């Protein structure tokens, strides 16, 4: 599987969650404001996974996969070194071709985990500790939505034998 095929698969997974949310949003009565808000927050998280991970660039032009990877390589290497040194060690042990495959399969998740997800988890914890119901509501949805994407990406990696045993936490 090449870089563009990997990106296209990750994009398809994430877009399916967006489409599912849009469908649910269309079926919710306008009077159900809280449910609408919850679905809009969830949709926003799926869209963020597409944009923050630069998957959107590959979705709009499937030939950009390698260009995205070239752009993201130094950023991802820095994130791996600082946040996931065990993944960086594996990455550095690979040849150039395998590095590209690995990076294309995990670069969006690397960024989302280090720059977005951990912050949302901390915000949720802080909201819970002070009983802030509004933020608990929002951050539960955000954390759950991003985690759902991670789980789907991981399932895809396992099904396609692309770093199927990668552990984010040691």
């Amino acid at each position: 599987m090449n870089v563009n095929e990997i990106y296209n698969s990750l994009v398809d997974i994430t877009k399916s969650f967006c489409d599912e949310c849009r469908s649910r949003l269309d079926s919710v009565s306008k009077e159900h404001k809280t449910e609408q808000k919850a679905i809009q927050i969830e949709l926003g998280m799926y869209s963020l996974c597409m944009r923050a991970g630069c998957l959107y660039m590959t979705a709009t032009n499937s030939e950009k996969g390698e260009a995205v990877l070239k752009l993201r390589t130094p950023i991802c290497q820095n994130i791996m070194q600082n946040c996931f040194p065990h993944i960086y060690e594996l990455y550095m042990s690979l040849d150039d071709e395998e590095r590209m495959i690995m990076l294309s399969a995990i670069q969006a998740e690397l960024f989302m985990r280090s720059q977005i997800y951990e912050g949302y988890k901390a915000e949720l914890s802080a909201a819970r500790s002070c009983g802030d119901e509004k933020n608990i509501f929002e951050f539960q949805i955000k954390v759950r939505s991003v985690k759902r994407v991670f789980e789907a990406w991981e399932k895809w990696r396992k099904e396609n034998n692309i770093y199927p045993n990668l552990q984010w936490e040691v």
Side-chain angles (χ1 to χ4, degrees), residues 112-125:
M112 288 300 299
R113 280 185 181 274
S114 65
Q115 305 300 310
I116 310 287
Y117 184 66
E118 290 302 321
Y120 285 166
K121 286 182 7 183
E123 290 285 345
L124 176 57
S125 180

Side-chain angles (χ1 to χ4, degrees), residues 1-28:
M1 191 169 281
N2 67 37
V3 168
N4 287 326
E5 291 168 329
I6 291 169
Y7 276 133
N8 289 339
S9 296
L10 298 176
V11 165
D12 289 346
I13 289 166
T14 312
K15 280 177 70 175
S16 73
F17 291 148
C18 290
D19 293 344
E20 172 196 313
C21 274
R22 286 186 190 100
S23 177
R24 287 187 1 242
L25 198 54
D26 288 345
S27 68
V28 172

Side-chain angles (χ1 to χ4, degrees), residues 115-142:
Q115 305 300 310
I116 310 287
Y117 184 66
E118 290 302 321
Y120 285 166
K121 286 182 7 183
E123 290 285 345
L124 176 57
S125 180
R128 284 183 173 145
S129 69
C130 66
D132 182 349
E133 294 299 323
K134 178 185 177 286
N135 279 326
I136 291 171
F137 171 79
E138 285 191 30
F139 283 104
Q140 279 180 326
I141 296 166
K142 289 178 177 185

Side-chain angles (χ1 to χ4, degrees), residues 36-101:
Q36 279 186 326
K37 181 177 180 179
I39 296 170
Q40 288 170 336
I41 292 169
E42 184 180 356
L43 176 59
M45 291 301 93
Y46 299 143
S47 297
L48 182 62
C49 287
M50 287 280 283
R51 284 171 174 71
C54 288
L55 293 176
Y56 184 74
M57 289 173 68
T58 63
T60 56
N61 182 346
S62 63
E63 300 306 311
K64 286 187 178 179
E66 290 187 25
V68 168
L69 198 55
K70 187 175 182 179
L71 171 75
R72 301 289 286 181
T73 296
I75 296 163
C76 290
Q77 288 175 340
N78 188 41
I79 291 170
M80 282 187 279
Q81 281 181 304
N82 293 311
C83 302
F84 307 100
H86 61 287
I87 294 174
Y88 183 70
E89 187 177 320
L90 169 63
Y91 172 79
M92 292 306 293
S93 73
L94 303 172
D95 65 33
D96 289 343
E97 186 177 330
E98 271 303 306
R99 281 184 188 170
M100 285 186 66
I101 297 298

Side-chain angles (χ1 to χ4, degrees), residues 150-163:
F150 292 162
E151 289 169 350
W153 288 345
E154 180 180 359
K155 180 181 177 197
W156 178 86
R157 284 194 312 270
K158 286 181 179 186
E159 289 170 353
N160 290 278
N161 200 32
I162 298 176
Y163 300 94

